[in-house]
Amino acid sequence: MNWIALLAALSGAIAVGAGAFGAHGASGQAAEWLKTGAHYQLIHAVVALVAWRMEVRGPAWLFIGGGAIFAGTLYLMALGAPRWLGAVTPIGGVLLIAGWLWLAWSAARTV
């Protein structure tokens, strides 16, 4: 089973649902958290598939994991979880940045 493809597809579906809820079913700060999380999660679901297809496995995992942590904490806060989860959100962001840097390093090695 291609775990990255499965997780990226589920991540994309969750992102679309969260974005739709943020646009149509939530308001205020909750709507902003849902929209931001959806935006980042959807982009990184796609780039995880691209990285996997490029056979650069590490960044793909960082994009899936980082996207889940980044967006997941925002979604939870939008649904009423404690705001201290906002302190966890940057961990996901750091993983996403690390994935991009690793992908860039991998690309530079093939030039």
Side-chain angles (χ1 to χ4, degrees):
M1 178 183 302
N2 185 339
W3 284 101
I4 286 291
L6 173 63
L7 294 173
L10 292 173
S11 184
I14 291 166
V16 171
F21 183 55
H24 303 291
S27 61
Q29 184 62 58
E32 291 304 313
W33 283 330
L34 289 163
K35 290 176 190 176
T36 299
H39 179 81
Y40 277 77
Q41 188 176 20
L42 188 56
I43 287 169
H44 289 91
V46 172
V47 77
L49 291 171
V50 171
W52 194 263
R53 182 76 173 146
M54 292 171 55
E55 298 186 7
V56 186
R57 308 303 194 205
W61 286 108
L62 288 174
F63 294 139
I64 293 295
I69 293 168
F70 183 88
T73 55
L74 293 176
Y75 298 159
L76 289 171
M77 289 191 307
L79 296 173
R83 286 191 170 214
W84 62 259
L85 277 174
V88 177
T89 307
I91 295 169
V94 168
L95 293 175
L96 296 174
I97 293 167
W100 283 107
L101 292 173
W102 189 347
L103 188 61
W105 179 73
S106 297
R109 290 181 53 210
T110 63
V111 174

